[in-house]
Amino acid sequence: MYGQPIFDLPKDLYIPPDALEVFLDAFEGPLDLLLYLIRKANINVLDIPMAPLTVQYLEYVEAMRQHNLELAADYLLMAATLLEIKSRMLLPRPPRAEEAEELDPRAELVRRLLEYEQVKLAAARLDELPRVERDFEWVGVFVAEKVVERLPAVSLHDLQLAWLKIARQSRLKRHHTIQREELSVREHMTLILRKLRDDTFVVFESLFDPDLGVPSLVVSFLATLELVKERLVVVTQNEAFAPIYVKRADGAAGID
């Protein structure tokens, strides 16, 4: 006390008489006591010997009355019930004309005992289940709310498109040498007039040779326009969206 050990009991220490009580057997009610006495004596609950059971029960109730009268009130009611059943079993039974099965005075008590035992066993099984603040404690964990950004999955097709984009950029930045090719419009004009030597209509597309390349096609087209401008060839078609035909003009018959 106050940081010092106490080895001797203080002389002025007052302990009330009812400060400490020891209960060797605690029962939750009169039915619990009856069931305890029956199981302790190894008696069949369906065939209860009322005389010894009543004596044992009254001895326990008398001991309780000496300590707590209010607690023994329920037990006194059960004692009166046991005495009534005992007296009914001891009284002689008058003979009856009709042979009918008589109701056992213990039947109601047996029914109540069996129901109480079932409820007590169920309560014991429930008590064995884990209980909060007895067998375990609740643990709270704080989880911070955070939005996790889900990145899209990359497929093989996405990698293929990325590679094609890189390849196109590489081709655009590739160094190459441009060679200048000298093409004469007058020379191509002469070639076109030679193709129109027979003074017959020729399809416009037949005047161009795709195998010579784009520069040659451009120069040939310019030569055709120049021939039309100088009225050396005639361009015509039969109707709208019909094929275009080209023919030497009458004044260009002698020009090669």
Side-chain angles (χ1 to χ4, degrees):
M1 180 178 294
Y2 300 107
Q4 300 295 329
I6 298 177
F7 301 100
D8 298 328
L9 191 66
K11 296 181 180 181
D12 57 347
L13 180 63
Y14 173 73
I15 301 178
D18 298 333
L20 180 63
E21 290 185 346
V22 179
F23 295 92
L24 299 180
D25 294 316
F27 303 102
E28 299 178 358
L31 290 177
D32 195 16
L33 174 58
L34 278 178
L35 191 61
Y36 168 75
L37 296 176
I38 291 172
R39 298 307 182 194
K40 181 179 180 181
N42 196 16
I43 300 173
N44 186 3
V45 71
L46 300 178
D47 187 15
I48 302 174
M50 297 304 301
L53 180 64
T54 304
V55 173
Q56 294 180 13
Y57 185 85
L58 292 177
E59 291 178 356
Y60 186 86
V61 170
E62 186 63 25
M64 292 183 61
R65 289 184 59 184
Q66 297 177 3
H67 294 81
N68 194 333
L69 183 59
E70 295 181 359
L71 183 62
D74 295 338
Y75 294 85
L76 291 175
L77 179 60
M78 178 58 68
T81 303
L82 293 177
L83 290 174
E84 180 187 1
I85 296 174
K86 178 182 177 182
S87 62
R88 290 173 59 186
M89 294 184 65
L90 294 176
L91 291 175
R93 302 177 183 178
R96 294 187 179 183
E98 299 179 359
E99 294 182 359
E101 183 179 358
E102 296 183 1
L103 183 63
D104 192 346
R106 302 170 297 179
E108 180 63 20
L109 180 61
V110 170
R111 182 188 65 80
R112 293 175 59 186
L113 286 173
L114 292 177
E115 291 180 354
Y116 176 78
E117 186 177 22
Q118 292 179 357
V119 174
K120 185 176 181 180
L121 293 176
R125 287 194 294 268
L126 289 176
D127 188 67
E128 293 176 357
L129 298 177
R131 186 183 305 175
V132 181
E133 296 182 357
R134 187 191 69 177
D135 302 315
F136 63 90
E137 296 286 344
W138 292 113
V139 177
V141 179
F142 175 75
V143 179
E145 296 183 359
K146 182 179 180 181
V147 178
V148 179
E149 182 180 359
R150 296 186 60 184
L151 301 178
V154 180
S155 62
L156 182 60
H157 180 66
D158 297 333
L159 294 176
Q160 182 182 6
L161 295 178
W163 164 248
L164 292 177
K165 182 179 180 180
I166 296 174
R168 285 196 301 269
Q169 293 178 354
S170 177
R171 286 195 298 268
L172 292 176
K173 297 180 180 180
R174 184 175 54 187
H175 299 281
H176 58 280
T177 303
I178 300 177
Q179 297 180 354
R180 183 176 180 179
E181 183 180 0
E182 296 182 359
L183 298 175
S184 173
V185 177
R186 288 294 176 180
E187 182 180 355
H188 282 75
M189 290 173 62
T190 302
L191 294 176
I192 293 173
L193 289 176
R194 288 178 181 177
K195 292 180 180 180
L196 301 176
R197 182 178 299 177
D198 297 336
D199 295 335
T200 57
F201 286 97
V202 178
V203 181
F204 179 74
E205 287 80 359
S206 63
L207 300 178
F208 304 91
D209 188 2
D211 296 336
L212 298 179
V214 176
S216 179
L217 294 177
V218 173
V219 175
S220 298
F221 182 70
L222 294 176
T224 303
L225 296 179
E226 189 68 24
L227 290 173
V228 174
K229 179 181 178 181
E230 295 181 4
R231 301 180 184 275
L232 297 178
V233 296
V234 178
V235 181
T236 184
Q237 63 181 162
N238 296 330
E239 59 184 1
F241 304 105
I244 299 174
Y245 295 94
V246 182
K247 178 180 175 296
R248 268 195 180 199
D250 295 337
I255 299 176
D256 288 333

